[in-house]
Amino acid sequence: MKKIYLTRHGETEWNKAGRLQGWCDSKLTEKGERDATLLGQRMDLTQIDAIYTSPLTRARHTTNLIKQEKNVPVYEVDDLKEIFLGDWEGNTKEEIEVNHQKEFSNFWNAPHLYDHCLHNAESLESFKKRVQKVVKSIVDEPTHQSVLIVAHAVVLKAAISFFLSSSPERFWDPPFIHGGSLTIVNWDGEQFHVELVGDTSHLKEEQQI
């Protein structure tokens, strides 16, 4: 049985400001760093053979905070980058809705109708294929039986959609994937078994601060 742990990077300055990031980047906030550290503490005794991370700075910083001094190999994987959002990147919801209200609504509420072309972005279909491809390559790696994937909100939603074989219309089904949350999936060689999705129980200490 292969164990796959997945998390989203900690909160960033642009997350806090409500700006879409995509392939752009911003630093982790104090909360983002704290949440990643708390996840690392939760997983302190968990056997991890390898960590696969998005190359974007917010994901790599989160990886380092989770890993600490443990002797675990870290692999940066380009296909774990967030969905490319083209002209929307760096803008707030309010700014995007000025010119792309319908498509922005489709992205969040009817993803099967979302048209990326109008704002020079990556198609949701192509994005899901690249995430599926990289997840399959990680699962097929025979030397790593317990792995951690550190990536982004939409990447994790695409991975979960793949694990559950869910329809495009259900892409955004709850729960919301918070920064520093934990998802656990088991692979028995034939089928994925989703054990936990977006769990934040280890962040209760942070929520009390």
Side-chain angles (χ1 to χ4, degrees):
M1 183 76 72
K2 188 155 192 167
K3 204 90 172 178
I4 308 163
Y5 300 90
L6 305 98
T7 190
R8 178 187 178 189
H9 62 80
E11 179 191 71
T12 69
E13 293 173 351
W14 277 16
N15 288 150
K16 192 172 181 178
R19 295 189 180 278
L20 271 68
Q21 293 178 114
W23 287 9
C24 290
D25 227 337
S26 65
K27 295 180 180 179
L28 296 188
T29 61
E30 289 186 9
K31 177 183 184 303
E33 292 181 337
R34 196 162 55 237
D35 289 350
T37 300
L38 287 170
L39 178 58
Q41 292 172 2
R42 173 176 178 171
M43 301 187 70
D44 187 49
L45 299 179
T46 302
Q47 175 62 39
I48 298 293
D49 299 323
I51 300 175
Y52 296 86
T53 180
S54 158
L56 296 176
T57 302
R58 58 191 186 271
R60 289 191 287 107
H61 189 180
T62 299
T63 294
N64 291 336
L65 291 169
I66 295 170
K67 177 179 176 289
Q68 294 296 324
E69 302 303 318
K70 294 187 181 69
N71 185 25
V72 180
V74 175
Y75 302 95
E76 289 187 14
V77 183
D78 201 55
D79 279 345
L80 285 175
K81 284 198 301 189
E82 184 59 292
I83 188 170
F84 178 60
L85 293 171
D87 301 338
W88 290 357
E89 295 190 0
N91 295 316
T92 64
K93 172 183 176 181
E94 292 74 21
E95 290 168 340
I96 294 167
E97 287 183 331
V98 171
N99 297 312
H100 301 280
Q101 184 174 10
K102 179 182 177 182
E103 228 43 67
F104 194 65
S105 176
N106 282 343
F107 182 78
W108 296 111
N109 303 304
H112 58 296
L113 301 178
Y114 166 67
D115 184 356
H116 63 289
C117 295
L118 297 175
H119 57 102
N120 305 303
E122 181 177 16
S123 77
L124 200 52
E125 182 179 355
S126 295
F127 167 74
K128 288 169 67 177
K129 285 181 179 177
R130 76 164 159 92
V131 171
Q132 177 177 327
K133 180 181 177 181
V134 71
V135 169
K136 287 180 68 176
S137 71
I138 292 171
V139 168
D140 290 341
E141 169 52 59
T143 60
H144 302 148
Q145 292 306 305
S146 180
V147 301
L148 171 64
I149 296 174
V150 182
H152 308 270
V154 193
V155 172
L156 265 63
K157 278 297 184 183
I160 293 166
S161 177
F162 170 55
F163 296 141
L164 297 174
S165 299
S166 55
S167 64
E169 294 88 343
R170 302 188 62 183
F171 187 81
W172 293 113
D173 276 8
F176 181 81
I177 304 298
H178 291 277
S181 63
L182 183 63
T183 295
I184 305 175
V185 179
N186 299 297
W187 168 248
D188 65 11
E190 294 183 359
Q191 192 172 0
F192 291 105
H193 303 273
V194 178
E195 180 179 330
L196 198 63
V197 178
D199 183 69
T200 58
S201 58
H202 54 286
L203 303 183
K204 59 185 178 182
E205 175 185 330
E206 187 274 336
Q207 292 165 357
Q208 293 170 355
I209 294 174

